[in-house]
Every structure is written in structure tokens, then in C-alpha cells.
Amino acid sequence: AQLYNFYAYVYLAQEKYPQAITSFEKVLQQPDLYIGIAVATQYALAQLYFATDDIDKAVTTLQSWFDIADNPGPEAHVLLAQGYLHQNQLDLALPELKKAFALAEKKGKQGKENWYVLLQYIYAEKKDYKNQVKALEVLVNHWPKKAYWLSLVGVYGELDQDKKRLYALETAYIQGMLDKESYLISLAQMLSAYDMPYKAAKVMEKGFTDKLIEANAKNLERTGDYWRRAKEIKRALPRLAEAASLSDDGEVGIRLAYLYMDNYQYMEAAQTIQKSLKKGDVKRPDEARLLLAQALFHAQEYTPARKIFNQLITATAKDDKRQKIHKLANQWLNYMELEIKRLKEIKLYLNA
């Protein structure tokens, strides 16, 4: 037995695992084998079976080892749990892991990182998200790695704990762990949903700077809208202008025009609407044309404004579904004419 044991360790040193396994097996075949050698050999043999992917033999050997071992340590239970996992026997793996944690706690020690990884994996496979999240929370606190944070984000989502999901994703972002566009956009959307548009816009802007977010029409429009909601109009306008120029339809430009109107930039609004109407695919063209006429009126371009108001009034006169636009166009035209008259009277008065 001692000779075969010696051979086995020589083969191990040479990384000749099949020969090492054969030698260990011959050790166990010896009669009246000393219990200490039997225990050590079976455990070493089980590990070798794992190393050579002979999982069934590894599990069987380890089970036999537990029958003769005195006070097995937590690592042995973890090893057996891994074997059961390879065999897809989750219900057998989980108790072994729990035994490992219990033994470690009894000795006043913390469970190891890979134990928690296995534990959260088992809970994930069993769709036991409440327990999975507990394991992941330990992992991110003691071994804060990107994979653990992103897994935690996903599990919070499964549990509909959206606020915790946001906090976890933002924490991963602060640590520089979000290196994909989808993660950054998700974070910005969640920040916006929780009424933090300024933070959302900053995330998007940094993503553009770092070349992680594509500066396409959709992303630029999204960023502009975050700035608008944050009351940062000077930052919102250029982003929405870029989005409008890149967009295949005119709808983005119409939203930009409303923002120009709110910022008293009437000619910019008018020019943007005109470009948008040329592009087409505007959801409410009547409203867009009414807005164009209003912008021209405010820019004191009365002749083209009057022309558009009159066109709208004529086009909508006999259409029951467009009576709201018909009424508004009439009201605005009347208001404009009165305003022109009022301004003329003021001018005459001042000249007199």
C-alpha cells in the first residue's frame, strides 16, 4: 500500500493523472488497509476523478469517503456539492453546501467566495430568487466583481425590486463596471423613471464621450429629452437638433420646435418645422402646420403666417374630425390681425 501510494504521488508530480488514479486504486485494493491511509487515498482519488471529469466515480468515491472519514471539513461537502451539480442533482447539492456553511460558521469562519457562487447558482436554477439575492448580496459586499453586480441587478428585476435594481446598477456604474451600451441606457432610463433626469443625461453624455453609446438619432433624442426634463434647455437644444438632423422622419424635429418656442427662438422653430414637414412621417401634420404659423407670427413674419392659417382654415372647414384645428386656426388668425392692428396704432401714436 505504501509503495503504490508513493507511485501515485510521483505520477501526480509528473501530472500523469491516469497512472496516479491506477496507483491509488491499487492502494485501496490492499487487504487490512490502515484506516488513515484509506481515508487519505479515497479523498485524493475522488479529487483526481473530478480533475479527469469522471464525475460519477468522483461522487461515488466521495460518498464512500464520508462513511469512513472522521469529522469531514466544509471543503469536502463543497466538493460533493459540485459533483451533484455536475450530475444536475440540485436537491442533493444544496444540503451539502448548507452543511459546509454550517461547519465554517461553527468554527467562526466566513464561507468562501466560490461557495457563495455555487449557492447563488443553485438558487438561480431552482428560480428561488429570494435566496439567490441573499447570496449575491454577500458576494458584492465581500468580493465586488462585475459579474456579481450584474447578476444582482437581474435578480432584483425578477423580484420586481426596481429601486434596489437601480441602486445596484448605479453602484456598478460608479465602479466603472458598465461597459456596454445596453447597461448604460438601462441605467439612464431607470434614473429618468425615478425623476433623476439630470443624472440620466450625464450617464448618456459620458457614454458618448467614452464611445460606449452610439450617437444615433434615438440616443441623442433621449439625451435631449433628459436635459429638457432637467430644465437644462441650453444642453437639450443641441442634442435634439442633432437627433432631428439624423432622424429619418420629421417627428423629432416637431418636438424640437416646441422647445424652441418655449425658449422664444421663433425663427429656429419655424425652420425646424419646415424641415420636418419636408421629411414627412409627422404624426399630426395639422398641428405642426399650426405651430409653424404661430412661430412665424411670433417672428413677425405675418404674410407667410397668414397664408398658412388661411390654408388650414380652408382645408379643415368641411372635415368634422379636424374641427379643433379649424377653430384654433381661426382664433390665431383673428388674434394675429388684431395684434397687427394694435401694433400699427401704437406706432402711429408714437410717431404723432
Side-chain angles (χ1 to χ4, degrees):
Q2 288 177 345
L3 184 59
Y4 285 126
N5 193 55
F6 176 76
Y7 273 123
Y9 280 102
V10 171
Y11 286 133
L12 276 178
Q14 295 174 334
E15 296 184 3
K16 295 179 179 179
Y17 299 130
Q19 292 93 324
I21 287 171
T22 301
S23 296
F24 276 133
E25 286 173 342
K26 287 181 178 178
V27 171
L28 295 175
Q29 291 167 6
Q30 302 309 307
D32 303 322
L33 189 64
Y34 176 61
I35 189 66
I37 294 177
V39 170
T41 302
Q42 274 199 326
Y43 193 75
L45 191 56
Q47 290 178 309
L48 274 172
Y49 285 141
F50 274 115
T52 55
D53 291 324
D54 195 342
I55 304 302
D56 290 340
K57 276 190 177 181
V59 169
T60 303
T61 304
L62 205 50
Q63 287 170 333
S64 300
W65 176 84
F66 272 104
D67 291 335
I68 60 173
D70 185 25
N71 296 322
E75 292 285 0
H77 289 285
V78 173
L79 192 62
L80 183 55
Q82 288 175 309
Y84 286 140
L85 279 176
H86 279 289
Q87 294 176 331
N88 203 31
Q89 298 191 76
L90 301 178
D91 291 332
L92 292 178
L94 185 56
E96 293 301 324
L97 265 181
K98 286 183 176 179
K99 288 175 188 175
F101 280 107
L103 286 170
E105 187 178 350
K106 194 174 179 181
K107 294 179 180 179
K109 294 182 179 179
Q110 167 80 36
K112 294 185 179 180
E113 180 182 357
N114 69 306
W115 303 3
Y116 283 101
V117 171
L118 291 173
L119 187 62
Q120 71 85 27
Y121 172 79
I122 293 171
Y123 285 133
E125 290 295 301
K126 292 168 72 68
K127 299 191 185 301
D128 184 351
Y129 301 121
K130 287 184 179 179
N131 279 312
Q132 186 190 4
V133 85
K134 291 176 185 177
L136 284 168
E137 284 172 349
V138 174
L139 282 168
V140 298
N141 275 287
H142 292 276
W143 305 277
K145 295 178 181 176
K146 174 184 171 182
Y148 305 152
W149 277 109
L150 294 180
S151 293
L152 185 59
V153 169
V155 180
Y156 281 143
E158 293 288 349
L159 293 170
D160 294 323
Q161 295 179 348
D162 291 336
K163 210 157 194 177
K164 285 188 175 182
R165 183 169 173 248
L166 167 59
Y167 294 153
L169 196 58
E170 189 175 14
T171 304
Y173 174 71
I174 291 166
Q175 296 177 87
M177 295 175 177
L178 303 188
D179 56 0
K180 287 186 180 178
E181 181 181 82
S182 57
Y183 295 142
L184 295 169
I185 290 175
S186 292
L187 174 59
Q189 288 174 328
M190 282 190 276
L191 287 166
S192 176
Y194 277 94
D195 203 26
M196 290 182 273
Y198 184 87
K199 275 189 172 184
K202 293 290 281 184
V203 168
M204 294 297 292
E205 292 289 0
K206 190 174 187 304
F208 292 139
T209 302
D210 295 342
K211 308 294 184 185
L212 292 173
I213 297 179
E214 184 184 353
N216 57 33
K218 188 175 181 181
N219 290 334
L220 289 164
E221 180 188 0
R222 183 182 281 127
T223 307
D225 189 56
Y226 294 151
W227 284 128
R228 178 190 63 79
R229 289 183 54 221
K231 311 299 182 188
E232 295 279 347
I233 305 304
K234 288 184 179 178
R235 291 182 173 185
L237 285 170
R239 284 308 188 194
L240 286 173
E242 288 177 88
S245 67
L246 292 173
S247 179
D248 293 330
D249 60 58
E251 192 60 30
V252 181
I254 300 303
R255 287 196 285 277
L256 173 62
Y258 276 107
L259 196 58
Y260 276 135
M261 292 288 285
D262 290 341
N263 205 43
Y264 310 108
Q265 294 176 253
Y266 300 120
M267 279 310 298
E268 287 87 346
Q271 290 165 1
T272 300
I273 297 166
Q274 287 167 337
K275 289 177 184 177
S276 296
L277 289 169
K278 283 181 182 178
K279 277 189 177 183
D281 289 329
V282 174
K283 290 180 182 178
R284 291 179 287 275
D286 283 346
E287 290 181 20
R289 288 180 63 76
L290 181 64
L291 185 66
L292 173 58
Q294 291 168 351
L296 290 168
F297 158 59
H298 285 299
Q300 297 183 350
E301 297 288 337
Y302 301 127
T303 301
R306 185 181 291 111
K307 181 181 178 181
I308 295 170
F309 282 135
N310 281 319
Q311 286 174 343
L312 279 171
I313 291 166
T314 303
T316 59
K318 297 179 180 180
D319 192 334
D320 292 339
K321 293 181 180 179
R322 299 163 76 188
Q323 285 306 297
K324 183 180 178 182
I325 294 293
H326 181 79
K327 184 178 178 181
L328 285 170
N330 263 307
Q331 288 173 343
W332 270 98
L333 179 60
N334 291 333
Y335 172 70
M336 185 181 77
E337 300 297 0
L338 288 170
E339 188 67 9
I340 292 170
K341 184 180 177 182
R342 186 182 69 84
L343 290 172
K344 281 182 180 179
E345 289 173 352
I346 291 171
K347 189 175 181 181
L348 286 170
Y349 174 79
L350 290 172
N351 289 336

